Amino acid sequence: MAEVNGQPVIDMRSDTVTMPTAAMREAMANAALGDDVYGEDPTVNRLEEMAAQILGKEAAVFVSSGTMGNLISVLAHCGRGDELIVGSMNHIFLYEQGGSAALGGIHPHALPSQLDGTLDLADIESAIRGDDEHFPVTRLICVENTHNRCNGRPLPVAWLDEVYELAHSRGMAVHMDGARLWNAAVALNLAPADLAAKADSVSCCLSKGLASPVGSVVAGSAEFIQRARRMRKVVGGGMRQAGIIAAAGVVSLSEMVERLADDHANAQRLARGLQATDGIGIEPADVVTNIVYFKVTASDMNPVQLAASLQERGILMNPINQTTMRAVLHCDVDAGDVERVVSEIGAALEAGPAGDPAAVKVYG
Ligand SMILES: *Cc1c(COP(=O)(O)O)cnc(C)c1O
């Protein structure tokens, strides 16, 4: 669906829809390759060294997805019957099939995510189990940065520092699901390492705003990454001439991070445009990175109906529930596209229900 009514489709369902850049395709075509399970792919090795350095860690490992990055990290931290603490709105809890429980026998203890993506420190403190044969052993706290379901917010650095200190003082580890850590760093004007340095592990996507076709990186201590590599192998994630995709990742890390500021500016543009649109509820101050959540307040249309109508107009967005839509900015959407989106949303709301709601998927 490249065009609708002679206009290019604007796909804002996610930043995962980004296409590899011309520089990536060229780097992929020319990548030096070897067998990465033997540790012999120079391009994978280069990507892993770059990622470790950027994230302030001793080592990193290339994986096929963010879900795999989180899973192998959690498996490397926790054994069967151990417990992890996670936010109720975190990707690890909501959108990964409960893989840590299903495949690792790890007991998730979900605490209510706060609106800013944090957890209440007192909630964490009281969730950490004492030494008693009735209880699982609490090993790990999982945080998400930026926090997708919490307005794409970067986690406050002072809060993170408190979580690191609390976890470490109790002999526990912290895993950061940093699928969009790059967006957090750009929004806060800090280096990714500043946000991840004290985490025991961090998993970051190359295939979202950084536009790689495939891949994530997990970083941590050399000893941790050795264990994570074992877990990657057992879940079938040992890839051979993986440099062919890692080559795009190298371009992502060298060329695609700073430009995320453009996506954040376009997200603001969209938020301000929607604020001025009848039938939409949004507070632009809540939009800090590239993810825009807004309420559909029109009396005759819900988010699924709006998404169906927009689809007919060549604009793709995800309804999240009965009240809320999500639009994600990325390098394949520019300021002109944002203007078109704002005016089409206004027109769609004015025209009333159109299109096929059954063709729209809800991502709750
Ligand atoms: C996308 C995402 C993941 C998973 O990444 P995939 O590559 O889609 O498996 C994990 N955590 C967060 C916060 C995400 O947004």
Side-chain angles (χ1 to χ4, degrees), residues 65-67 70 91 96 144 146 148 177 179-180 205 207-208 216:
S65 69
T67 301
N70 284 333
H91 199 279
E96 299 183 11
E144 184 173 315
T146 61
N148 166 32
D177 174 358
R180 298 188 182 85
C205 288
S207 59
K208 290 192 168 162
S216 282

Side-chain angles (χ1 to χ4, degrees), residues 34-49 51 59-78 103 203 206 214-219 223-246:
D35 189 326
D36 180 52
V37 176
Y38 288 102
E40 292 172 1
D41 188 300
T43 308
V44 172
N45 292 343
R46 173 148 176 251
L47 173 65
E48 291 176 346
E49 280 161 25
V61 59
F62 182 49
V63 294
S64 63
S65 69
T67 301
M68 185 186 281
N70 284 333
L71 177 64
I72 69 166
S73 297
V74 165
L75 292 175
H77 285 297
C78 303
L103 304 180
S203 172
L206 304 166
V214 180
S216 282
V217 283
V218 174
E223 184 268 336
F224 172 83
I225 292 300
Q226 208 170 355
R227 278 185 283 136
R229 275 184 198 283
R230 281 187 61 81
M231 294 302 137
R232 181 183 70 165
K233 193 75 179 76
V234 78
V235 299
M239 298 184 284
R240 301 296 176 170
Q241 285 74 44
I244 202 97
I245 47 178

Side-chain angles (χ1 to χ4, degrees), residues 30-230:
N30 298 319
L33 302 175
D35 189 326
D36 180 52
V37 176
Y38 288 102
E40 292 172 1
D41 188 300
T43 308
V44 172
N45 292 343
R46 173 148 176 251
L47 173 65
E48 291 176 346
E49 280 161 25
M50 277 177 83
Q53 198 252 325
I54 292 170
L55 294 165
K57 301 290 175 203
E58 286 175 357
V61 59
F62 182 49
V63 294
S64 63
S65 69
T67 301
M68 185 186 281
N70 284 333
L71 177 64
I72 69 166
S73 297
V74 165
L75 292 175
H77 285 297
C78 303
R80 299 190 72 80
D82 286 343
E83 181 178 57
L84 62 78
I85 291 171
V86 63
S88 56
M89 298 300 270
N90 286 30
H91 199 279
I92 288 180
F93 189 66
L94 287 180
Y95 298 125
E96 299 183 11
Q97 274 190 33
S100 54
L103 304 180
I106 301 156
H107 184 56
H109 188 164
L111 301 177
S113 291
Q114 307 297 301
L115 289 174
D116 63 356
T118 64
L119 299 172
D120 188 303
L121 287 164
D123 284 355
I124 299 180
E125 183 107 45
S126 54
I128 300 171
R129 313 282 191 150
D131 179 15
D132 181 304
E133 68 180 20
H134 292 85
F135 300 149
V137 176
T138 317
R139 291 264 183 229
L140 182 67
I141 301 173
C142 296
V143 299
E144 184 173 315
N145 202 10
T146 61
H147 201 296
N148 166 32
R149 283 301 304 276
C150 298
N151 270 319
R153 280 188 175 272
L155 295 173
V157 176
W159 177 80
L160 271 177
D161 280 340
E162 292 197 81
V163 172
Y164 293 136
E165 193 177 317
L166 174 58
H168 295 154
S169 74
R170 305 290 290 267
M172 294 164 55
V174 178
H175 170 67
M176 181 180 282
D177 174 358
R180 298 188 182 85
L181 185 71
W182 326 107
N183 296 84
V186 166
L188 297 171
N189 204 13
L190 291 169
D194 295 335
L195 304 177
K198 292 187 218 157
D200 300 276
S201 56
V202 56
S203 172
C204 303
C205 288
L206 304 166
S207 59
K208 290 192 168 162
L210 303 193
S212 274
V214 180
S216 282
V217 283
V218 174
S221 69
E223 184 268 336
F224 172 83
I225 292 300
Q226 208 170 355
R227 278 185 283 136
R229 275 184 198 283
R230 281 187 61 81

